[in-house]
């Protein structure tokens, strides 16, 4: 009890960000002093439920000692199944509440909001049914008969001593009138959980120290020094001049000037009444990422936030962002000796080279140290003890439950959405985001299902007063309003008219700032001088027509991007174009490559088609990249010509952002003459009938309604003789027109549009209802205890295929690790990857060498949707489990433990669940019916 209380005090003093401490402190009459006492006391009493017969009976020889002192109890077998109704967390909540009510005059409602912190310290606050079941069985808390009074005496004596020892005895009367907001209850619960985990670690707090006899204070000091948690970030107010700020934080080219959107965002962050939500809508390539980091620095300095969480749509975009975050962190001002924790948060983070390097440099043995060894154990450069760099991937702050507690985190948006999912240890996720500035990228990319979770999370972030920065190039006005209302709604009364004004504006670029519970502020900065006019044309959906057109357009050289809405169409298109242009002139990019090949594809695209000066390998002759939606976002690539399947207009605009993205010579003179005018050919549609008919694959992905609305707003731009799309001026009108409620398209489309709208609304309603099944409730009124907070939840939630399916409206995807089976039956890593990783032996009678195991794990592959249907998935898993290697399931082989292994033959083929699978480094995975 002393260990837990002492750790809680150290966490409060040296680890919790200032904004978290302030949020807890402001609701207590004694401010910060009361808040610290409360946290320490709750951590000290959190295990009081162990002083009960239901718990103490578990070890016979220890229980006999207690019986000898008059504390009678049944044996574990005599209790039977009833004993499970009194887990020590629940028992502790009941005992603490009784003590507060009987000894200090609290009401049940007053005590519950404090005691629930004890009840939920194993990750799930009890619900009313559990409390009622235990109340009906008092014998689980105190043995009936003569021993009952002695049990009560022991429990009350422990609670009395804790109240006195931890300084709350004289504060309980004043606290009786406090109404703890639910966010404060969650933060206290999380703090107690962290303190409990640290104090329960036998490497830090040995049960039986043999050679060292320490006082309590020395014991805690030795553990704290051995743990050595990095402190929270204490952001300083950055330089007043925005140009100076960007020059200090980012690698700006010589003579580069901060863009108007970036400057306006920083100035607005400084000017708003209180740090809150900021939505930055600006064109592709305007530097929104840099703007978000600069704004985060300002908001952290103003709010006391102790870190940043950058949420991105996919693992690939997260991997690309992580080194950019590290570069920014290295440029932040810091006092000598400051250590900041950084983490890449997704299920394959350990395979990221930058993160793996940071983990290697951060090697630290988590164990108590001798107090007089402080100077030696903290010496920078000691690779065996601590990281030599200021940025560390701290060993204790890893794993699915603790990872988000690092100060600076890059991860998928799933990690943020989990904060809105009823799941075990949800309080830890809330503590993790409550202490940071949260940045949400590509906010337009989330459907109704995901948006339901995002809006609920935003409402809790507003209650925590967490600064949030939302980034988008193509955000519908209605969605902008929903985000703003969700964030502001928990902080106070929302003026509907003020938020209607947020939705009415069609200005672009646009900044929207919403203080917690306050009035929205809208600002319309200028766009940078650079712009592009894109001429749109229809193109018949015929592979031969496409090949002929590309041959004509690229006759004098040039680079074209063809974006298809399905992988099947990507591969079919590539097959036809290779017949026309040759294998070397066609590149394929989609999501069905193994991870290492996908990373190499992205790097290759950047090397050949990236910005001028960084793309020295740009092809001189004709070249065509055929890609799926992976080309839409986060790749700074630049093409001379774009061909795209019809898709929702916001995504089509994202694709246009890859067309003439950079200036290549004056007036684009460095491009082939025919391609100096930006053109986008729109295909994937039968344009011949009275109403456009998109191809089936596109309808399956996006729905007919979104595609028809997109076609409708593009009508005035389609065909070369009509008005081109001006970027960025036309971005907002097109997006708002496509996503608005007004009519769109010719009258002859009305019947088809109405039928598509009905299906669209039914789908959205279904998504919203299904999202509500496990979604966290809205923030309750102050004083309402978190009893039943995550009742009927999903259990544990993590970044696995199962976990992601809980917050995304998609079937559970099947993920495998791809290896090759040699002619003699042995297994090896695939033979086409980097020479130092290819063809490495994977023995089946022992764990593979670490280098081979890691190389194999880097060949992860997500199987396509054919394998997501229940019967096919079950059959596939059963077949994959036939290649179960017991020697790989041990701790020493953590890279491959628990993985499903897909073994390809020498020709890179195999069969699975009735399908033929073929893989090639150039085209990825192809699946056909066997």
């Amino acid at each position: 009890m002393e260990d837990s209380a002492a750790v809680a005090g150290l966490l409060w003093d040296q680890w919790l960000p200032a904004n978290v401490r302030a949020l807890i402190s402001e609701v207590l009459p004694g401010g910060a002093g009361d808040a610290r006492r409360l946290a320490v006391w709750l951590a000290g009493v959190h295990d009081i439920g162990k002083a009960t017969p239901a718990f103490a009976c578990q070890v016979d020889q220890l229980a006999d000692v207690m019986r000898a002192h008059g504390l009678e109890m049944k044996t574990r077998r005599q209790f039977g199944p009833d004993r499970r109704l009194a887990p020590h967390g629940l028992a502790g909540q009941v005992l603490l509440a009784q003590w507060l009510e009987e000894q200090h005059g609290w009401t049940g409602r007053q005590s519950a909001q404090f005691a629930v912190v004890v009840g939920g310290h194993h990750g799930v606050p009890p619900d009313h049914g559990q409390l009622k079941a235990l109340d009906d069985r008092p014998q689980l808390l105190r043995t009936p008969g003569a021993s009952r009074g002695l049990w009560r005496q022991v429990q009350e004596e422990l609670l009395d001593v804790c109240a006195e020892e931890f300084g709350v005895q004289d504060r309980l009367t004043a606290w009786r009138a406090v109404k703890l907001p639910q966010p404060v209850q969650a933060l206290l619960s999380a703090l107690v959980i962290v303190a409990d985990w640290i104090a329960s670690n036998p490497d830090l707090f040995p049960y039986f120290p043999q050679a060292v006899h320490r006082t309590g204070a020395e014991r805690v000091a030795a553990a704290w020094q051995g743990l050595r948690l990095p402190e929270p970030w204490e952001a300083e107010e950055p330089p007043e001049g925005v140009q100076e700020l960007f020059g200090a934080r980012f690698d700006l080219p010589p003579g580069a000037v901060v863009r108007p959107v970036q400057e306006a965002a920083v100035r607005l962050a400084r000017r708003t009444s209180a740090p809150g939500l900021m939505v930055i809508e600006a064109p592709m390539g305007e530097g929104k990422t840099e703007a978000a980091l600069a704004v985060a620095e300002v908001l952290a300095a103003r709010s006391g936030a102790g870190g940043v969480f950058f949420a991105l749509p996919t693992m690939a975009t997260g991997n690309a962002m992580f080194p950019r975050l590290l570069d920014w962190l290295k440029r932040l001002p810091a006092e000598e000796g400051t250590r900041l924790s950084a983490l890449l948060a997704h299920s394959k983070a350990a395979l990221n080279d930058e993160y793996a390097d940071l983990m290697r440099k951060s090697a630290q043995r988590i164990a108590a140290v001798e107090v007089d060894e402080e100077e030696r154990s903290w010496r920078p450069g000691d690779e065996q003890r601590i990281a030599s760099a200021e940025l560390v991937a701290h060993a204790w702050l890893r794993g699915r439950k603790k990872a988000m507690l690092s100060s600076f985190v890059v991860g998928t948006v799933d990690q943020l959405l989990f904060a809105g999912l009823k799941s075990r240890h949800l309080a830890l996720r809330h503590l993790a985001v409550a202490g940071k500035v949260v940045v949400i990228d590509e906010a337009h990319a989330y459907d109704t299902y995901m948006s339901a979770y995002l809006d609920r999370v935003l409402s809790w972030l507003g209650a925590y007063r967490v600064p949030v920065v939302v980034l988008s190039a193509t955000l519908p006005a209605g969605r902008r309003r929903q985000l703003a209302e969700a964030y502001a709604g928990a902080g106070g009364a929302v003026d509907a008219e003020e938020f209607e004004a947020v939705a009415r504006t069609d200005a672009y670029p646009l900044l929207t700032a919403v203080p917690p519970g306050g009035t929205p502020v809208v600002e319309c900065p200028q766009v940078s001088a650079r712009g592009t006019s894109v001429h749109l044309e229809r193109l018949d959906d015929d592979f031969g027509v496409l090949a002929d057109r590309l041959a004509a357009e690229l006759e004098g050289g040039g680079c074209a991007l063809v974006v298809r809405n399905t992988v099947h169409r990507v591969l079919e298109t590539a097959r036809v174009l290779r017949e026309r242009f040759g294998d070397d002139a066609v590149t394929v990019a989609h999501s069905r490559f193994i991870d290492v090949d996908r990373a190499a594809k992205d790097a290759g695209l950047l090397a050949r088609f990236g910005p001028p000066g960084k793309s020295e390998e740009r092809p001189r002759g004709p070249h065509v990249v055929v890609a799926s939606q992976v080309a839409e976002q986060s790749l700074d690539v630049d093409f001379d010509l774009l061909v795209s399947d019809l898709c929702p207009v916001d995504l089509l605009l994202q694709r246009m952002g890859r067309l003439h993205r950079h200036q290549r010579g004056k007036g684009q003179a460095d491009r082939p003459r025919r391609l100096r005018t930006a053109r986008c050919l729109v295909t994937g549609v039968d344009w011949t009938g009275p109403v456009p008919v998109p191809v089936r694959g596109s309808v399956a992905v996006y729905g007919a309604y979104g595609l028809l609305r997109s076609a409708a707003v593009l009508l005035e731009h389609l065909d070369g003789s009509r008005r081109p799309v001006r970027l960025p001026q036309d971005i907002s009108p097109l997006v708002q027109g496509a996503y608005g409620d007004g009519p769109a398209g010719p009258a002859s489309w009305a019947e088809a549009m109405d039928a598509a709208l009905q299906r669209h609304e039914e789908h959205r309603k279904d998504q919203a209802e299904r999202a509500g099944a496990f979604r966290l409730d809205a923030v309750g009124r102050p004083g309402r205890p978190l009893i039943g907070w995550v009742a009927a939840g999903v259990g544990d939630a993590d970044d696995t295929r199962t976990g992601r399916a809980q917050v995304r409206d998609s079937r559970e995807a099947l993920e495998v690790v791809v290896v090759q089976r040699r002619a003699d039956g042995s297994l090896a890593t695939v033979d086409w990857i980097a020479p130092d990783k290819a063809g490495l032996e994977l023995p089946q009678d022992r764990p593979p060498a670490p280098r081979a195991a890691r190389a194999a794990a880097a060949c992860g592959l997500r199987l396509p949707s054919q394998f997501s249907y229940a019967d096919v998935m079950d059959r596939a898993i059963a077949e994959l489990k036939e290649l179960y290697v017991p020697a790989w399931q041990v701790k020493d082989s953590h890279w491959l433990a628990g993985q499903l292994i897909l073994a390809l033959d020498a020709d890179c083929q195999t069969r699975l669940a009735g399908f033929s699978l073929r893989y090639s480094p150039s085209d990825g995975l192809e699946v056909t019916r066997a």
Side-chain angles (χ1 to χ4, degrees):
M1 299 171 90
E2 287 180 339
D3 289 345
S4 298
V7 170
L10 288 166
L11 290 170
W12 180 275
D13 296 337
Q14 301 182 37
W15 183 72
L16 277 187
N19 64 335
V20 172
R21 298 197 307 268
L23 193 71
I24 299 172
S25 300
E26 69 181 26
V27 301
L28 294 163
D34 266 7
R36 188 185 188 281
R37 289 188 196 95
L38 176 58
V40 168
W41 172 61
L42 288 173
V45 302
H46 82 275
D47 268 346
I48 186 63
K50 292 181 177 178
T52 58
F55 183 89
C57 71
Q58 295 181 88
V59 181
D60 290 338
Q61 60 266 40
L62 299 179
D64 287 342
V65 177
M66 298 178 71
R67 293 186 181 105
H69 286 78
L71 292 168
E72 293 296 330
M73 70 190 89
K74 294 179 181 179
T75 64
R76 184 171 183 166
R77 178 173 295 181
Q78 287 171 335
F79 269 119
D82 273 5
R83 199 184 68 81
R84 293 198 298 268
L85 300 175
H88 73 267
L90 172 62
Q93 175 173 332
V94 172
L95 293 179
L96 180 59
Q98 289 178 354
W99 179 79
L100 288 169
E101 293 160 23
E102 296 171 2
Q103 303 296 320
H104 297 278
W106 292 39
T107 66
R109 182 175 291 274
Q110 290 169 336
S111 68
Q113 58 182 331
F114 289 80
V116 73
V117 174
V118 169
H121 80 265
H122 277 278
V124 179
D127 59 36
H128 290 286
Q130 291 172 300
L131 289 166
K132 176 66 167 59
L134 182 55
D135 187 57
D136 291 341
R137 295 165 178 81
Q139 70 275 12
L140 297 173
L141 299 179
R142 301 175 184 112
T143 302
S147 185
R148 179 179 177 83
L150 188 56
W151 275 108
R152 177 183 288 273
Q153 178 185 334
V154 167
Q155 294 158 354
E156 291 180 352
E157 182 177 310
L158 283 169
L159 290 169
D160 288 341
V161 170
C162 283
E164 190 67 38
E165 180 72 19
F166 304 134
V168 305
Q169 187 69 41
D170 298 333
R171 303 303 301 152
L172 292 174
T173 300
W175 291 353
R176 191 167 55 193
V178 170
K179 291 185 176 181
L180 284 183
Q182 288 192 329
V184 171
Q185 296 177 48
L187 294 175
L188 288 169
S189 298
L191 181 61
V192 169
I193 291 170
V194 175
D196 180 27
W197 284 356
I198 294 172
S200 300
N201 186 322
D203 292 324
L204 294 170
F205 291 90
Y207 290 121
F208 304 105
Q210 299 297 322
V212 180
H213 300 281
R214 298 184 176 117
T215 65
E218 289 172 339
R219 174 178 167 85
V220 172
W224 190 250
Q225 290 175 20
L227 178 60
R228 208 176 166 227
L229 282 177
E231 59 270 27
W233 180 37
E234 295 183 5
E236 303 173 4
E237 188 67 36
E240 183 67 29
V242 179
Q243 184 72 36
E244 179 186 358
L245 171 60
F246 274 68
R249 301 292 184 267
F250 307 109
D251 188 15
L252 297 181
V257 178
V258 174
R259 294 188 171 101
V261 168
Q262 297 171 328
E263 182 165 6
V266 174
R267 299 202 182 285
L268 182 59
R270 286 180 165 136
R271 197 173 66 247
T272 49
S273 58
L277 171 74
M278 181 183 292
V279 182
I280 302 177
E281 298 172 63
M284 299 71 72
E286 281 293 293
K288 291 188 292 295
T289 297
E290 289 77 11
L293 291 172
V295 166
E297 187 174 353
V298 173
L299 296 179
R302 294 189 62 198
S303 68
V308 174
F309 173 50
F310 216 109
L312 297 120
T314 64
M315 292 185 194
T317 53
N319 286 337
M321 182 63 208
F322 188 64
R324 297 175 69 181
L325 180 80
L326 294 183
D327 287 343
W328 174 70
L329 287 174
K330 292 171 185 175
R331 296 169 185 258
L332 289 176
E335 295 182 7
E336 185 177 355
T338 298
R339 299 165 71 246
L340 299 174
S341 55
L343 186 123
L344 180 60
H346 61 66
S347 61
K348 298 183 180 181
L351 298 171
N352 178 275
D353 288 339
E354 286 86 358
Y355 183 57
D357 185 56
L358 186 63
M359 287 194 294
R360 181 184 60 79
K361 292 178 179 177
S362 305
Q364 175 187 349
R365 179 170 173 262
I366 305 297
V369 300
E370 291 299 325
V371 177
D372 60 2
E373 290 184 354
E374 175 180 354
E375 293 302 320
R376 186 186 69 78
S377 66
W378 284 27
R379 186 180 301 128
D382 183 353
E383 293 290 334
Q384 298 304 311
R385 302 292 299 186
I386 63 172
S388 58
E390 289 185 335
L391 301 180
V392 297
H394 195 274
W396 196 81
L397 292 174
R398 299 179 201 160
R400 58 189 175 87
K401 292 182 180 178
K402 296 180 290 188
M404 288 287 292
L405 294 171
S406 295
S407 295
F408 295 92
V409 180
V410 172
T412 60
V413 72
D414 309 78
Q415 297 285 356
L416 180 63
L417 300 183
F418 286 149
L421 182 71
K422 291 182 178 179
S423 58
R424 194 175 184 88
H425 289 108
L426 181 63
L428 282 180
R429 292 190 178 275
H430 280 223
L431 174 61
V433 295
K436 296 181 178 66
V437 178
V438 174
V439 181
I440 305 169
D441 199 11
E442 307 284 3
H444 57 273
Y446 310 125
D447 61 15
T448 300
Y449 189 92
M450 295 177 71
S451 294
Y453 279 98
L454 179 57
D455 289 355
R456 183 54 48 82
V457 171
L458 281 174
S459 72
W460 278 87
L461 294 180
Y464 286 118
R465 298 200 299 270
V466 170
V468 178
V469 184
V470 174
L471 307 178
S472 178
T474 52
L475 190 66
R479 186 69 191 119
R480 180 194 312 134
R481 173 179 178 166
Q482 290 170 351
L483 294 170
E485 284 184 327
Y487 184 85
V494 175
D495 188 321
E497 181 58 32
E498 291 173 348
F499 285 91
E500 180 60 32
V502 169
R504 277 199 304 266
T505 181
D506 60 357
Y508 190 83
L510 184 68
L511 304 176
T512 306
V514 185
T519 302
V521 177
V522 175
E523 188 168 302
C524 309
Q526 296 179 338
V527 71
S528 60
R530 184 180 150 273
T532 305
S533 291
V534 180
H535 294 261
L536 264 60
E537 300 178 36
R538 309 171 201 247
L539 183 69
D540 290 343
D541 188 54
D542 180 277
F543 293 123
V545 170
L546 172 64
D548 290 343
R549 183 63 181 271
L550 287 175
E553 297 288 354
L554 303 179
E555 185 176 359
C559 303
L561 172 64
V562 179
V563 184
R564 297 304 209 185
N565 292 339
T566 65
V567 175
H568 176 74
R569 282 175 62 81
V570 169
L571 297 175
E572 286 294 306
T573 303
R575 206 166 278 123
V576 172
L577 294 182
R578 283 184 177 132
E579 293 175 359
R580 181 67 62 93
F581 294 97
D583 291 350
D584 293 340
V586 178
T587 297
V588 168
H590 54 71
S591 59
R592 288 191 209 163
F593 285 92
I594 60 174
D595 293 332
V596 67
D597 284 350
R598 172 78 183 274
K601 284 281 181 184
D602 287 351
L605 291 174
L606 288 170
R608 288 181 292 166
F609 308 104
K614 297 183 179 180
S615 53
E616 298 178 358
E617 302 174 23
R618 191 175 183 88
R620 294 185 178 274
H623 198 97
V624 184
V625 173
V626 189
S628 66
Q629 293 87 338
V630 299
E632 279 177 9
Q633 57 196 16
S634 300
L635 277 179
D636 188 6
V637 288
D638 171 29
F639 291 89
D640 304 314
L641 177 69
L642 173 66
V643 180
S644 174
D645 281 349
L646 179 67
C647 59
V649 74
D650 52 329
L651 304 183
L652 184 61
L653 290 165
Q654 292 281 347
R655 296 175 187 184
M656 289 184 196
R658 276 67 193 154
L659 175 63
H660 286 214
R661 185 180 181 91
H662 298 287
Q663 194 72 24
R664 294 191 178 273
K666 187 176 181 180
Q668 303 288 6
D670 292 346
R671 300 183 192 272
R673 181 177 299 276
R674 184 177 177 83
L675 302 176
R676 290 173 188 169
T677 297
R679 281 176 294 145
C680 173
L681 313 181
V682 183
T683 185
V685 184
D686 180 356
W687 297 105
T688 59
V691 180
V693 180
V695 295
R696 289 179 58 189
S698 296
V699 174
V701 174
Y702 297 117
Y705 183 67
L707 296 173
L708 286 177
R709 294 284 301 197
S710 179
V713 298
L714 292 171
L715 276 181
E716 66 170 306
H717 302 284
L718 280 166
D719 297 329
S721 61
R722 302 197 179 189
R723 186 170 72 83
V725 174
R726 298 165 302 157
L727 301 178
Q729 296 94 322
D730 290 332
I731 289 178
S732 184
L734 286 171
V735 172
Q736 309 320 327
Y739 286 92
D741 297 326
S748 59
W749 293 17
E751 183 177 350
M753 192 75 81
D754 288 345
L757 174 60
Q758 182 176 349
R759 293 192 297 272
H760 174 70
E761 292 295 343
E762 290 173 352
H763 177 62
R764 289 183 59 187
K765 181 181 178 182
D766 175 64
Q767 283 190 315
E769 289 176 351
R770 286 187 289 108
F774 298 116
R775 188 180 56 175
L776 185 64
D777 294 337
V779 183
R781 61 182 182 275
R784 182 177 180 179
L786 289 178
I787 293 171
W789 193 41
V790 296
V794 299
D796 285 320
D798 52 26
D799 189 28
T800 61
R801 57 188 175 89
T802 303
R804 289 189 294 272
Q806 291 164 346
V807 291
R808 293 180 184 251
D809 187 27
S810 58
R811 290 186 175 91
E812 185 178 343
L814 196 58
E815 296 183 12
V816 296
V817 168
V818 177
V819 302
Q820 274 189 295
R821 190 184 298 278
R822 295 166 171 164
D824 62 2
S826 64
L827 300 178
T829 58
V830 295
D831 60 14
W832 61 82
I833 55 178
D836 62 329
K837 299 175 182 177
L840 299 178
E841 182 185 6
L842 297 171
Q844 299 180 56
D845 59 344
R846 62 187 185 278
R851 186 163 68 95
R854 188 178 190 275
C859 297
L861 175 68
R862 185 174 298 182
L863 297 180
S865 59
Q866 293 98 313
F867 296 93
S868 295
Y869 296 93
D871 54 342
V872 178
M873 177 177 280
D874 290 345
R875 180 179 170 186
I877 291 174
E879 292 179 14
L880 290 166
K881 284 186 175 180
E882 292 177 9
L883 183 51
Y884 175 83
V885 185
W888 295 2
Q889 312 307 316
V890 298
K891 184 178 180 181
D892 292 339
S893 186
H894 67 277
W895 291 112
L896 298 177
Q899 300 290 340
L900 295 171
I901 307 299
L902 178 69
L904 303 177
D905 62 21
D907 296 323
C908 298
Q909 299 183 50
T910 191
R911 291 194 174 195
L912 182 65
F915 292 90
S916 294
L917 278 61
R918 178 182 180 275
Y919 188 90
S920 73
S922 59
D923 285 356
L925 181 70
E926 295 184 71
V927 178
T928 56
R929 282 279 181 186

